[in-house]
Amino acid sequence: MEHVLGKEWTITPAGGSTGAAFYAQSDTKRLFLKRNSSPFLAVLSAQGIVPKLVWTKRLENGDVVTAQQWLDGKELNPEEMQHPKVAKLLSKIHHSSELLDMLLRIGKKPLRPDEVLFKVKNKVRFNEGTAAQIEVLQAIRYLERMLPYVYVEKQVVCHCDMNHNNWLLSQTGQLYLIDWDSAKVGDPAVDIGMVLHSYIPEEEWDNWLESYGIVRDDNLMLRMIWYLLINEINYYMWHQKRLEVKEAAQRLQQLKRLLNRVTAY
């Protein structure tokens, strides 16, 4: 990365699993650099959803480096996810036709529930340890039974990783949602369910949804649970594969809790 900016810049890795993100600092400027970001980044920047895109450069080896404004601010903590700003920004994202058009243009195909279920069933079938878990089998039976009821006509841009660490609040009070590598076109219930179940006390769900701009109904709750069950099965298998016994057990417990709630919806 040094040859992209020059010797007056100090460049340090920004962490992350891909090793493609860096912080760059000179005497007068600070930038956040990333290698091979999606062209989707430009639209996100134009809409104020991510920090401002400063420039894009193509390297001789074909890699593309993007530079974004490096802001002073903080990641949201779990409690701060309850703030109406989170609901309002997520609603803005889900209702943006520009974001949807761009994501479709770069080749993202809309998620089909039957294809999502087919993939997870295939993974389970070839994973003996997962297939032996009664909770996983119960979840799959429920997913199959409810499949006809989780189709929606209007699909939107879903971030698909609502971890509180991906929400940044600048010192001026501007909220951003970063790390769009997992973005898909799908049911808004994918993102909404992750936020509500992970961060919002259930007695506050109606208030949060009001800030988002919708009213709770049985179909929304059904779709949320459906996609949350898919996520928990996938995460369980991911931790199992990495031999992370404690984390896998936690995912199995979460799967149990979701199954216990199914009758409520």
Side-chain angles (χ1 to χ4, degrees):
M1 280 289 183
E2 284 76 7
H3 64 280
V4 176
L5 291 173
K7 294 180 179 179
E8 68 273 18
W9 289 83
T10 301
I11 299 176
T12 54
S17 57
T18 62
F22 303 86
Y23 296 119
Q25 187 164 6
S26 71
D27 291 338
T28 57
K29 293 181 181 178
R30 297 189 302 171
L31 296 170
F32 175 76
L33 306 180
K34 194 162 185 182
R35 186 187 292 117
N36 294 330
S37 284
S38 164
F40 191 46
L41 186 65
V43 185
L44 292 166
S45 170
Q47 296 209 1
I49 293 163
V50 299
K52 184 180 178 182
L53 181 63
V54 180
W55 50 255
T56 301
K57 292 183 181 178
R58 182 173 292 278
L59 306 184
E60 290 181 4
N61 65 0
D63 284 352
V64 175
V65 177
T66 53
Q68 287 174 267
Q69 189 178 14
W70 176 5
L71 297 171
D72 288 319
K74 64 183 285 295
E75 298 173 350
L76 293 190
N77 61 42
E79 292 74 25
E80 289 168 332
M81 291 291 288
Q82 299 177 35
H83 198 284
K85 277 188 175 183
V86 172
K88 291 179 188 301
L89 180 55
L90 189 59
S91 180
K92 174 183 176 179
I93 291 163
H94 287 170
H95 287 89
S96 172
S97 58
E98 291 85 0
L99 292 181
L100 180 59
D101 289 345
M102 175 54 91
L103 209 54
L104 291 171
R105 201 178 304 149
I106 63 175
K108 292 282 186 178
K109 291 185 169 57
L111 288 177
R112 287 177 48 92
D114 56 331
E115 293 174 355
V116 172
L117 181 55
F118 179 79
K119 285 179 183 177
V120 81
K121 285 170 66 176
N122 257 3
K123 285 184 187 176
V124 170
R125 189 176 296 122
F126 292 106
N127 187 321
E128 291 182 8
T130 302
Q133 297 295 337
I134 186 65
E135 294 84 5
V136 173
L137 299 180
Q138 288 173 338
I140 287 176
R141 281 200 294 269
Y142 175 80
L143 292 167
E144 289 173 333
R145 194 165 70 251
M146 293 298 120
L147 179 61
Y149 307 104
V150 294
Y151 288 87
V152 289
E153 286 186 20
K154 181 170 174 54
Q155 292 193 304
V156 304
V157 169
C158 295
H159 182 274
C160 297
D161 185 2
M162 292 283 99
N163 191 293
H164 63 94
N165 294 320
N166 288 329
W167 296 80
L168 300 182
L169 186 66
S170 74
Q171 287 187 338
T172 60
Q174 177 72 37
L175 185 64
Y176 299 99
L177 179 57
I178 62 167
D179 195 355
W180 283 84
D181 293 343
S182 301
K184 294 178 175 62
V185 176
D187 186 337
V190 172
D191 286 343
I192 294 170
M194 288 181 189
V195 175
L196 291 185
H197 275 270
S198 298
Y199 299 109
I200 315 299
E202 188 161 354
E203 62 271 18
E204 294 295 326
W205 283 11
D206 288 335
N207 290 334
W208 193 93
L209 289 169
E210 183 181 353
S211 295
Y212 176 92
I214 57 175
V215 176
R216 186 201 308 213
D217 62 39
D218 289 344
N219 183 254
L220 174 63
M221 295 298 108
L222 167 63
R223 285 155 37 221
M224 279 170 39
I225 287 288
W226 199 89
Y227 283 104
L228 285 166
L229 286 168
I230 291 279
N231 280 346
E232 292 303 332
I233 295 171
N234 279 326
Y235 276 124
Y236 173 71
M237 288 189 285
W238 187 75
H239 288 303
Q240 248 198 347
K241 186 177 180 180
R242 293 161 60 97
L243 303 179
E244 295 170 347
V245 177
K246 181 181 176 182
E247 291 82 357
Q250 289 172 343
R251 291 296 178 176
L252 205 58
Q253 281 300 115
Q254 181 64 10
L255 199 59
K256 284 182 185 178
R257 284 193 286 271
L258 287 169
L259 286 169
N260 288 337
R261 296 185 63 109
V262 160
T263 53
Y265 302 127

